[in-house]
Amino acid sequence: LKFGVFVGHFFSSSSTPSVAMKFHWWVFSPVVFPWTGQAQQAGTVTPEESPSIVIQKCTIAEGCKDKDMGLVLDANWRWVHNVGGYQNCFTQEGWNPEFCPDPETCKENCALEGVTAAGYINNYGVHQIYEGDKVTGVKLDFMTEGGNVGSRLYVTEKNGKKYKMFKLLNREFTLDVDVKTMNCGMNGAVYFIEMDKKGGEGQTNHAGAKFGTGYCDAQCPHEKFETNASWGICCVEMDIWEANKYATAYTPHPCSTVGPVRCEGDIDCGYGENGERWKGLCDKDGCDLNSYRMGAHKYYGPGPDFEVDSDRPLTLVTQFLTDDGTDEGTLSEIRRLYVQDGKVIANAPSMIPGVTGSAITDTFCNAQKAAFKDYDHHQEKGGLASMGETLKRGMVLSVSIWDDYATHMAWLDASFPPGEDPEERYGVLRGPCNATTSDPTIVRAENPHGYVKYYNIKYGEIGSTFSGTRRLEPIHT
């Protein structure tokens, strides 16, 4: 479950880049068409110096091999200025009417700018993690001295011109995380979305993946500079890790879409307040597996009293298992494992009456929706079989850090929906936090030095990306 649009911090000084507009393809299902108006311009003032990262591809037979890739900052955080000049197109007061009287003119008049290596570090708090001379991960600061809050980056191919498309059906995805400074109301998120591999680059978008364009997710976010609030961009989303040190969840969000799709109106976009949320193109709630929400309150948290200690680095493994153990099978289970101190730790089993299991399956999801009295949009959008088709087509990897003005992250780590009594409805209690004190104004004041680390990222055949002293039950029987 994810609410609102993921945005960065706005700046008005010319010395600090302002947040930029996002460009998405507009789609009229079932055929995809790029927008036919003016083009999104690529800036030439500042060179794009995206950080590199090494991600490993693994097989049982040959082990893990390094693959050189890159990380690129989302367009929403970038400086947007007038073409041929240095004036901000967007400030804290909004779009500059001189350059942006309407979206079409704004695209023609404004350029999306690059970010230097120093800018990634100083302006946006993006730091490479080294093991010897090899870049094995990234550290994302929650805030920077210049005033930026949060960041979102995408993994690209080595040349930076296209996003890396991960095809994970009948595969596993593994990474190490460090969330010890991530307090209530904060979220370090790692997830896959079915973005266009070129970021929508083409005749109407000269920026593309090199400048972090083309974002979409299952919440159908609004295009940044689009004035029509009833339009959005939807695509399938697979949340691998949404977490702070008090709560964590992983969640498939299937959609009735292929690639990024433009939605129009409250029904398709799921924007309305009268049940439209469950009539749109995407399953916005998803089928989340949050161990705390499932009743295992001593499983994940800070300190040695928890089975998985979030005060210390940990390895998380996500396996996308098919019904027959082949690449042509149907996705039947999304399994989570942890590795800490060399021990493989199985995910906590559900303690909710009527809901059994410790992994996401259609049976688990259906039972959970019934027990929590939640609308089952997950099955309406095809459940795991639908998600599996997207994993087979390929998805873009995003890593981020953020806070939440809309719900104060209560959907992850506190009681949600607000006003519901956890004693009277299962599933309301999602973590031990208090949403009242997770207002971003408080979170930012109390956590100026917060950060998250993502490193040792691997993907490959089932059982090839991790090792431990305790093996679990067979994957297939």
Side-chain angles (χ1 to χ4, degrees):
L1 182 62
K2 192 179 295 179
F3 287 84
V5 181
F6 191 108
V7 297
H9 194 80
F10 298 157
F11 300 97
S12 58
S13 70
S14 59
S15 61
T16 308
S18 69
V19 172
M21 61 188 72
K22 288 187 286 187
F23 179 85
H24 299 288
W25 278 19
W26 285 11
V27 181
F28 301 86
S29 185
V31 182
V32 180
F33 301 97
W35 179 56
T36 57
Q38 302 296 339
Q40 166 66 66
Q41 307 299 319
T44 59
V45 174
T46 305
E48 175 60 28
E49 297 175 344
S50 303
S52 63
I53 187 171
V54 172
I55 292 178
Q56 293 190 314
K57 183 177 182 180
C58 307
T59 64
I60 296 292
E62 300 182 3
C64 297
K65 296 184 177 181
D66 292 348
K67 301 293 181 181
D68 293 327
M69 300 185 193
L71 290 168
V72 64
L73 183 72
D74 180 280
N76 210 30
W77 271 259
R78 293 171 178 266
W79 179 31
V80 181
H81 62 89
N82 65 311
V83 174
Y86 301 92
Q87 297 185 60
N88 287 340
C89 287
F90 192 84
T91 70
Q92 289 182 334
E93 287 71 44
W95 293 108
N96 186 329
E98 178 182 355
F99 308 120
C100 296
D102 56 71
E104 292 81 2
T105 306
C106 195
K107 286 180 181 179
E108 183 179 15
N109 289 343
C110 298
L112 189 64
E113 203 51 71
V115 180
T116 64
Y120 268 94
I121 296 170
N122 299 323
N123 293 342
Y124 300 107
V126 177
H127 308 265
Q128 292 171 304
I129 296 173
Y130 283 86
E131 183 178 321
D133 59 356
K134 182 168 68 174
V135 179
T136 59
V138 63
K139 171 179 174 279
L140 303 181
D141 292 339
F142 179 52
M143 301 176 67
T144 65
E145 291 185 3
N148 181 71
V149 178
S151 60
R152 179 171 63 212
L153 299 98
Y154 311 116
V155 173
T156 67
E157 296 180 356
K158 183 178 180 180
N159 62 15
K161 296 181 179 179
K162 295 179 182 179
Y163 297 127
K164 166 65 179 175
M165 303 301 290
F166 290 84
K167 299 182 179 182
L168 294 177
L169 184 65
N170 195 36
R171 298 291 187 270
E172 66 187 25
F173 178 79
T174 296
L175 76 158
D176 293 349
V177 298
D178 183 342
V179 295
K180 63 176 175 286
T181 69
M182 297 287 288
N183 287 308
C184 293
M186 303 168 71
N187 189 338
V190 177
Y191 59 109
F192 290 94
I193 49 270
E194 196 180 13
M195 295 166 60
D196 173 66
K197 68 184 298 182
K198 297 175 69 176
E201 183 181 4
Q203 183 177 359
T204 60
N205 177 359
H206 301 320
K210 179 180 178 180
F211 293 86
T213 66
Y215 184 70
C216 59
D217 65 31
Q219 303 306 313
C220 304
H222 300 299
E223 187 179 7
K224 182 61 188 171
F225 61 104
E226 176 54 64
T227 57
N228 190 328
S230 66
W231 289 347
I233 305 293
C234 310
C235 67
V236 179
E237 175 181 348
M238 177 65 226
D239 297 328
I240 297 292
W241 176 254
E242 292 197 274
N244 51 46
K245 66 179 181 179
Y246 295 101
T248 180
Y250 71 105
T251 311
H253 295 269
C255 304
S256 54
T257 60
V258 175
V261 172
R262 176 198 181 192
C263 64
E264 297 185 44
D266 286 351
I267 297 296
D268 275 356
C269 298
Y271 292 157
E273 301 296 330
N274 298 305
E276 291 90 348
R277 178 178 181 85
W278 301 287
K279 298 177 182 178
L281 296 176
C282 291
D283 173 22
K284 295 191 172 189
D285 293 353
C287 175
D288 66 298
L289 206 168
N290 173 336
S291 295
Y292 197 102
R293 192 183 187 205
M294 301 311 299
H297 294 175
K298 297 301 293 183
Y299 177 72
Y300 172 91
D305 292 339
F306 293 89
E307 191 167 358
V308 178
D309 181 1
S310 60
D311 268 344
R312 297 186 295 118
L314 57 95
T315 300
L316 57 109
V317 182
T318 309
Q319 298 176 326
F320 299 96
L321 309 176
T322 59
D323 56 352
D324 61 3
T326 73
D327 295 356
E328 302 306 317
T330 300
L331 181 66
S332 60
E333 179 180 347
I334 306 175
R335 179 180 294 189
R336 165 58 48 82
L337 310 171
Y338 294 94
V339 183
Q340 198 166 47
D341 297 328
K343 293 169 49 179
V344 178
I345 305 170
N347 204 34
S350 168
M351 301 177 68
I352 301 297
V355 187
T356 59
S358 59
I360 294 175
T361 65
D362 281 331
T363 299
F364 171 89
C365 293
N366 296 345
Q368 184 209 62
K369 296 293 184 182
F372 291 170
K373 300 179 182 179
D374 289 339
Y375 188 89
D376 194 352
H377 207 199
H378 185 259
Q379 276 304 312
E380 289 187 5
K381 292 302 172 185
L384 291 195
S386 176
M387 176 58 67
E389 290 300 313
T390 309
L391 291 168
K392 189 174 183 178
R393 290 193 297 267
M395 304 180 78
V396 176
L397 175 59
S398 172
V399 296
S400 63
I401 184 171
W402 62 294
D403 57 13
D404 177 14
Y405 269 106
T407 74
H408 300 178
M409 218 64 75
W411 58 269
L412 174 66
D413 63 18
S415 291
F416 191 87
E420 293 273 3
D421 186 350
E423 299 295 326
E424 296 183 0
R425 181 181 174 186
Y426 289 120
V428 171
L429 190 61
R430 298 152 188 261
C433 299
N434 183 338
T436 302
T437 56
S438 291
D439 184 299
T441 57
I442 299 174
V443 172
R444 296 175 186 186
E446 295 182 349
N447 299 278
H449 303 299
Y451 63 85
V452 64
K453 292 181 180 179
Y454 307 119
Y455 55 107
N456 294 335
I457 301 173
K458 305 175 184 180
Y459 68 103
E461 296 175 352
I462 300 297
S464 68
T465 66
F466 72 102
S467 62
T469 59
R470 181 169 71 91
R471 301 303 298 175
L472 302 176
E473 68 273 14
I475 299 299
H476 302 290
T477 59

